[in-house]
Amino acid sequence: MLEKLFSFYPGNYSLEDFTYAFSPDNPQFDLVLGIALLTFFLGYIEYIYSFQLVRREKSAPYPVWMHTFYFAHDSMGAIVFALASKTTGGFWFFTAAAVALVIWNLFEVYNLYKCIYVERQEIWGHLHDEPVSVKEAWFRVIGQIIIFIGVVNLFRVFMNDPYMFKWFIFTNILIAIAPGFYWEKRKTQIGASYKLAIVILLGTINSFTPLNMWVLVSDYFSFSNNPWFYLIGIVSIGFAIRNIVVLKKMSQKPSHMEDGTKTVW
């Protein structure tokens, strides 16, 4: 087992893994499609709650660097899947995934807009003696996006991740672990949500069950080939549970904001 953990490196997934897994010729096609739809759906819900929180409570559940990272990641993923669609003559999954990632990009643009025009003082105020200007906020957001585009592509090459599939699981690990620390740092339930924490937990569990989307597409992600995938899954689920514990330790947020807007449970 130690050799498997520290000395063994499996091969890699392939383009053909996708075209077979998401083809009606695959006997497990219905299962693969159902799990994939559930995975994408939970990912969308995780961002929809961010919409609600920043609109109602003027505070988002994720730090700005998560928005800029996800924007960089998803925009690169959209390009990669669009190119894969072209390579495969318009294979439906690659086309649909590219469109889905563009939609995610729009979600991220909305949240970044709110970071700049609503949250900029909360996010960057500690760096300035004067109020943070919109121009300064734009500068910082664009700078982060440029950095993350470089990082995503560099490590896509380092990880031999031609279709972003390894990066995709990292985004799920990140959303399981990071929010709780951010909420803890702010010391308030404002901008956080039990509903969101529960959805994150469900999404994390779904990502690491024995029938997760990754292993259904490629044996590269099986426990026998990639035990670290499941070990980090256990860690991620633990931190997703911790998010709920963090909220429980804080004072309950009011049912309504000062302007009368209902808060998000």
Side-chain angles (χ1 to χ4, degrees):
M1 186 60 179
L2 283 176
E3 183 177 349
K4 176 76 73 171
L5 287 174
F6 297 105
S7 301
F8 175 74
Y9 291 86
N12 204 6
Y13 66 89
S14 67
L15 184 71
E16 290 72 25
D17 288 334
F18 287 95
T19 55
Y20 177 72
F22 288 100
S23 167
D25 294 334
N26 179 6
Q28 291 188 301
F29 173 71
D30 290 342
L31 176 63
V32 175
L33 181 60
I35 295 296
L37 288 173
L38 177 62
T39 302
F40 276 78
F41 173 75
L42 290 171
Y44 278 136
I45 296 300
E46 288 168 347
Y47 244 96
I48 288 171
Y49 274 117
S50 183
F51 290 1
Q52 280 194 331
L53 286 161
V54 76
R55 287 179 62 189
R56 294 189 188 181
E57 302 178 15
K58 305 298 186 289
S59 186
Y62 311 129
V64 63
W65 61 263
M66 281 184 66
H67 296 309
T68 52
F69 167 73
Y70 282 132
F71 179 85
H73 172 276
D74 293 345
S75 58
M76 294 303 99
I79 293 171
V80 166
F81 277 128
L83 292 174
S85 176
K86 181 180 179 182
T87 299
T88 56
F91 184 65
W92 76 268
F93 173 76
F94 292 129
T95 304
V99 172
L101 287 165
V102 170
I103 294 172
W104 252 310
N105 273 153
L106 296 176
F107 287 2
E108 290 140 8
V109 166
Y110 178 84
N111 277 273
L112 287 169
Y113 176 88
K114 290 294 187 179
C115 285
I116 292 168
Y117 288 95
V118 176
E119 298 183 276
R120 64 180 183 274
Q121 194 61 37
E122 176 187 346
I123 295 170
W124 297 291
H126 65 288
L127 300 174
H128 299 268
D129 294 328
E130 301 293 330
V132 181
S133 68
V134 171
K135 180 180 178 180
E136 173 69 16
W138 270 109
F139 178 80
R140 290 185 177 277
V141 164
I142 292 172
Q144 286 187 20
I145 290 172
I146 291 171
I147 291 169
F148 281 131
I149 287 174
V151 168
V152 166
N153 283 289
L154 178 64
F155 279 88
R156 188 166 66 87
V157 174
F158 282 175
M159 295 188 298
N160 191 18
D161 192 16
Y163 305 106
M164 303 285 289
F165 218 37
K166 298 171 187 176
W167 259 125
F168 278 122
I169 194 60
F170 179 77
T171 65
N172 289 4
I173 294 168
L174 182 63
I175 207 166
I177 294 173
F181 289 103
Y182 188 52
W183 304 343
E184 204 170 33
K185 178 182 177 182
R186 294 193 302 193
K187 300 179 181 179
T188 176
Q189 287 189 357
I190 297 296
S193 161
Y194 279 108
K195 288 181 181 179
L196 172 59
I198 292 168
V199 170
I200 289 174
L201 175 58
L202 293 175
T204 307
I205 292 171
N206 176 66
S207 295
F208 295 103
T209 64
L211 291 177
N212 62 77
M213 180 177 71
W214 286 262
V215 74
L216 289 173
V217 169
S218 174
D219 191 54
Y220 173 86
F221 297 96
S222 67
F223 182 81
S224 60
N225 281 328
N226 207 331
W228 280 111
F229 182 96
Y230 296 91
L231 291 175
I232 193 62
I234 294 170
V235 172
S236 299
I237 291 169
F239 275 94
I241 294 170
R242 180 184 182 273
N243 294 338
I244 299 172
V245 175
V246 166
L247 289 177
K248 282 184 173 293
K249 289 182 177 180
M250 295 178 183
S251 299
Q252 184 70 32
K253 72 170 75 171
S255 60
H256 291 78
M257 300 294 287
E258 291 182 359
D259 62 2
T261 303
K262 187 177 180 180
T263 57
V264 181
W265 181 76

